[in-house]
Amino acid sequence: MRTSNFLLSTLKETPADAEIISHQLMLRAGMIRKVAAGVYNWLPVGLRVLRKVENIVREEMNKSGAQEVLMPAVQPAELWQESGRWEMYGGELLRLQDRHGRDFCFGPTHEEVITSLISNEIRSYKQLPANFYQIQTKFRDERRPRFGVMRAREFIMKDAYSFHLDQEGLQATYDVMYETYTNIFTRLGLGFRAVEADTGSIGGNTSHEFHVLADSGEDAIAVCDKYEYAANVELAEAVTIGGDRPNPTKTLSKVDTPDQTTIAQVSEFLTAEVKTTVKTLLVHGVEDGLVALVLRGDHELNELKAEKHPLIASPLVWASDEEIKEAVGCMPGSIGTVELGLTVIADRSAANIADYICGANTDGVHYTGVNWGRDCPEPEIFDLRKVVEGDICARADNESDESKLSITRGIEVGHIFQLGTKYSEAMNATCLDNNGKAVVMPMGCYGVGVSRIVASAIEQNHDDRGIIWPDSMAPFQLVITPIGYKKSERVKSVCDEIYNTLTKAGIEVLLDDRNERPGIMFADADLIGIPHRIVIGEKSLAKEQIEYKNRRSDTSEDVPQNDIIEFLMERVVKS
RNA sequence: CGGGGUGUAGCGCAGUCUGGUAGCGCAUCUGGUUUGGGACCAGAGGGUCGGGGGUUCGAAUCCCUCCACCCCGACCA
């Protein structure tokens, strides 16, 4: 490709509304342009990268034995009513009506469509297992789209759905997909990690997320290398801290704490360590009435864990100030475990401390020296809190520095689930087993955020000059920067010859034949992140040398003109 | 959904408080001088000042209203 025939819409200045580096660079490099909140145009440079990712995903999926299909983006409401998600899915589902007033939605995911399709196509266990995928535009009406294509409303996703005779078959395909995803992200040249994950609204049980590791990631991941444990913080198990609960040593006493309502205020006012306080949070129960959740003052509630408790309403609903006043007689900030009169569920660590401080259920008053079993009933114990850096790994058999969790951040680019029979049951997807008996097929589902991968790769690979693509994703492998293309016949003919030879050899070459100053051409090539560059000018040709530079390296090297083709063929990865 | 903020040329911004013919830098186009890391000179084009309504002799500026976009939050006990 020649730049004279290619839309290189680079920007010198950073658009004001782009917050994170990948969004800024995608705009500056002329990869994307915004059409509406969370909706983007892909320009030629961007689309070339997107297609690279798509192709790698497609190749690896095909290798795994999955079959490509294409389902409609617009789906009839009936299918969603059948699965029960028309009501459940909420605001993220973009609902539409056709001219007859019939309800449709723009598909945010395709479990309904595929299950309905396959239930008609697959009749016999002999056709199983089967795995179908597509690469397609999805729409999820995010309440807050942001970060460019990282969290867009319209985006490209690879989604796959597998069907099985039994759980064993599902597990086997799940393992194959785990392997396939590992291959995909390895081929893309990304630093990533597979982590145990919550299954969220899609449903099902076993699940792993694949995260590209980056500080700007929206997810926190707890990792312990020693025990090979990695889990999304949403899910990561928090173990009890500090052995058996100590015996009480203090007596229960009431202290006035006027206007002290937060943990920080109370602990400072009473000159006590934060971890000797507990906070009592009131939420709605499954039945009418409130349930009290007790955490150590320095810990935070993990709402997803709380929602899994059978007595707690899901989704979690916080008690309002009025409800708290009515049930307890005080405002939030002075609630405690003594004579509370509500069901109490305590986090493992909160249940394991003695002589703690909590509210006295009267505004401006707290208790000190509170002990479970003596001053209030023993609580029900449940894992309620978010893990924090330095917690002991749930898989560890002893407490040591090696068994401590570290927390890193990641961008979720892949997610694999074992769905079980949630959808096949609802939509009656059965096949006959070898006894001629109808069996509801267990399902798996496997997603890759194709457009998000593009952004996450930039988060991981950039410098102050721009993007540094891994070879596998680069819009072009090589850029030829001539010095004096329009002035020097010799420069022009050498450039054209190398360009033609390499292009014929299947390498994607960008020849910068604009009549620009070298500084502009260098800046553009660096900004759009082409991994390999050669510079051809009269000066070096006089020495029969051609300058080569890798985008990642600070220095260039001179290559004899006669060896340049061989040199480049060796270094530049063919697409 | 709650809170905050911003809408002026393709991009980045000033002008709004205190009403009086719409500006700057970058980009674009023309001519010239340049040409190894975002050049210089001269000239040119480009704006319903987010939309609608109102006040006024006169509105980018004041008032009302709608819209779009961005940020923060959704942990308060």
Side-chain angles (χ1 to χ4, degrees):
Chain A
M1 187 64 70
R2 291 165 182 267
T3 47
S4 56
N5 190 32
F6 189 74
L7 186 66
L8 259 191
S9 282
T10 54
L11 302 174
K12 208 162 158 182
E13 284 173 289
T14 303
D17 54 5
E19 192 72 5
I20 60 168
I21 194 77
S22 61
H23 188 197
Q24 294 172 357
L25 288 174
M26 288 181 82
L27 289 167
R28 286 192 52 210
M31 295 179 66
I32 56 168
R33 292 290 182 253
K34 188 173 71 178
V35 178
V39 177
Y40 289 87
N41 287 314
W42 287 78
L43 273 54
V45 180
L47 187 62
R48 289 181 77 98
V49 177
L50 189 67
R51 294 284 187 242
K52 288 286 173 64
V53 178
E54 267 185 35
N55 286 339
I56 288 175
V57 170
R58 179 174 285 114
E59 282 174 24
E60 293 300 322
M61 288 303 291
N62 289 345
K63 252 188 237 171
S64 79
Q67 305 172 64
E68 187 168 8
V69 295
L70 184 60
M71 291 179 265
V74 175
Q75 309 175 9
E78 285 78 16
L79 286 176
W80 287 72
Q81 283 153 354
E82 208 175 326
S83 71
R85 286 208 289 185
W86 186 255
E87 283 75 30
M88 294 298 291
Y89 212 86
E92 278 189 25
L93 188 65
L94 179 66
R95 293 153 213 262
L96 327 156
Q97 285 194 337
D98 70 6
R99 61 168 68 191
H100 305 292
R102 287 187 286 246
D103 289 320
F104 287 83
C105 64
F106 197 108
T109 177
H110 280 67
E111 282 82 6
E112 281 79 4
V113 178
I114 191 80
T115 308
S116 157
L117 172 69
I118 293 308
S119 68
N120 290 320
E121 306 301 327
I122 288 190
R123 314 273 159 136
S124 159
Y125 73 96
K126 291 175 189 168
Q127 296 169 284
L128 299 179
N131 192 5
F132 303 94
Y133 78 96
Q134 63 175 344
I135 297 174
Q136 190 222 25
T137 299
K138 299 276 188 278
F139 195 98
R140 294 182 187 169
D141 200 354
E142 293 278 346
R143 55 186 152 181
R144 193 177 157 203
R146 57 185 143 172
F147 305 149
V149 299
M150 189 77 86
R151 179 168 293 282
R153 293 194 291 177
E154 187 177 300
F155 59 98
I156 309 282
M157 183 175 175
K158 186 284 297 178
D159 48 327
Y161 307 89
S162 67
F163 295 84
H164 309 275
L165 181 64
D166 50 27
Q167 171 61 30
E168 214 178 4
L170 169 57
Q171 183 66 48
T173 297
Y174 186 85
D175 292 342
V176 168
M177 280 298 106
Y178 188 101
E179 201 58 42
T180 299
Y181 276 34
T182 302
N183 295 340
I184 288 171
F185 298 118
T186 303
R187 262 187 78 182
L188 287 169
L190 299 174
F192 70 96
R193 182 124 202 177
V195 307
E196 294 176 21
D198 189 73
T199 48
S201 63
I202 295 212
N205 28 56
T206 304
S207 166
H208 286 85
E209 290 168 352
F210 287 76
H211 284 263
V212 166
L213 303 175
D215 292 338
S216 59
E218 290 191 90
D219 285 290
I221 301 164
V223 177
C224 167
D225 287 318
K226 162 92 171 173
Y227 294 92
E228 289 179 2
Y229 179 75
N232 194 308
V233 164
E234 289 178 342
L235 184 82
E237 186 178 350
V239 300
T240 312
I241 296 172
D244 295 334
R245 186 207 293 166
N247 289 321
T249 60
K250 294 184 183 165
T251 54
L252 182 69
S253 49
K254 244 183 200 180
V255 287
D256 282 331
T257 50
D259 300 323
Q260 310 296 307
T261 57
T262 68
I263 290 291
Q265 287 168 348
V266 170
S267 58
E268 197 187 329
F269 188 81
L270 298 174
T271 56
E273 281 188 84
V274 174
K275 66 179 186 186
T276 65
T277 66
V278 304
K279 49 178 140 185
T280 308
L281 315 176
L282 302 187
V283 299
H284 286 198
V286 169
E287 292 171 15
D288 289 346
L290 303 178
V291 177
L293 310 180
V294 179
L295 293 142
R296 232 171 61 175
D298 56 332
H299 289 151
E300 287 187 353
L301 179 67
N302 180 327
E303 296 192 14
L304 283 169
K305 287 181 178 177
E307 285 167 0
K308 286 178 186 154
H309 191 281
L311 294 178
I312 298 172
S314 176
L316 196 76
V317 182
W318 293 94
S320 66
D321 287 1
E322 294 72 37
E323 288 169 326
I324 293 171
K325 186 87 186 169
E326 195 191 323
V328 186
C330 68
M331 291 302 285
S334 301
I335 311 172
T337 57
V338 181
E339 291 171 2
L340 180 58
L342 295 171
T343 302
V344 174
I345 303 168
D347 178 65
R348 290 166 174 173
S349 296
N352 204 40
I353 55 175
D355 302 326
Y356 62 81
I357 297 167
C358 68
N361 300 325
T362 307
D363 287 332
V365 185
H366 279 72
Y367 277 116
T368 63
V370 186
N371 282 279
W372 298 109
R374 186 190 74 182
D375 309 318
C376 57
E378 287 288 347
E380 182 179 342
I381 300 172
F382 199 72
D383 177 15
L384 283 178
R385 71 180 175 92
K386 273 189 192 164
V387 293
V388 293
E389 182 96 26
D391 271 344
I392 300 303
C393 169
R395 291 217 184 129
D397 40 25
N398 63 347
E399 290 189 17
S400 69
D401 282 350
E402 284 181 326
S403 60
K404 283 186 176 170
L405 292 175
S406 59
I407 311 277
T408 59
R409 299 201 74 82
I411 301 162
E412 184 191 340
V413 289
H415 202 160
I416 59 177
F417 296 88
Q418 294 188 19
L419 288 176
T421 54
K422 176 172 172 167
Y423 296 96
S424 38
E425 184 101 55
M427 311 196 69
N428 200 29
T430 60
C431 74
L432 297 180
D433 68 9
N434 59 358
N435 298 316
K437 223 180 80 190
V439 182
V440 176
M441 294 183 280
M443 291 171 59
C445 103
Y446 319 93
V448 170
V450 174
S451 40
R452 182 180 283 180
I453 285 173
V454 176
S456 65
I458 297 172
E459 289 295 322
Q460 224 175 48
N461 298 284
H462 66 269
D463 62 15
D464 52 2
R465 296 199 305 269
I467 304 167
I468 309 175
W469 291 114
D471 284 44
S472 58
M473 293 175 67
F476 298 95
Q477 274 80 57
L478 173 74
V479 58
I480 301 175
T481 308
I483 309 294
Y485 187 81
K486 300 271 153 114
K487 279 266 169 70
S488 160
E489 264 309 313
R490 186 170 177 201
V491 168
K492 181 174 188 304
S493 69
V494 172
C495 285
D496 287 349
E497 192 191 327
I498 294 175
Y499 172 78
N500 287 331
T501 306
L502 292 176
T503 301
K504 267 183 204 137
I507 292 177
E508 291 168 301
V509 186
L510 184 66
L511 171 57
D512 201 340
D513 59 351
R514 295 175 295 177
N515 195 22
E516 290 289 358
R517 298 166 59 83
I520 289 178
M521 295 193 283
F522 291 146
D524 277 345
D526 287 345
L527 176 59
I528 69 175
I530 301 176
H532 306 274
R533 182 184 84 192
I534 54 172
V535 180
I536 297 174
E538 284 282 7
K539 234 188 271 177
S540 55
L541 286 181
K543 294 182 289 180
E544 300 195 329
Q545 300 277 321
I546 286 175
E547 175 188 310
Y548 166 82
K549 184 176 169 299
N550 190 289
R551 177 67 180 82
R552 282 183 194 278
S553 138
D554 288 330
T555 54
S556 58
E557 55 183 302
D558 285 335
V559 180
Q561 194 181 336
N562 290 332
D563 303 341
I564 190 69
I565 297 292
E566 196 185 346
F567 176 90
L568 289 172
M569 295 292 282
E570 207 172 276
R571 261 181 192 59
V572 178
V573 179
K574 279 196 253 178
S575 59

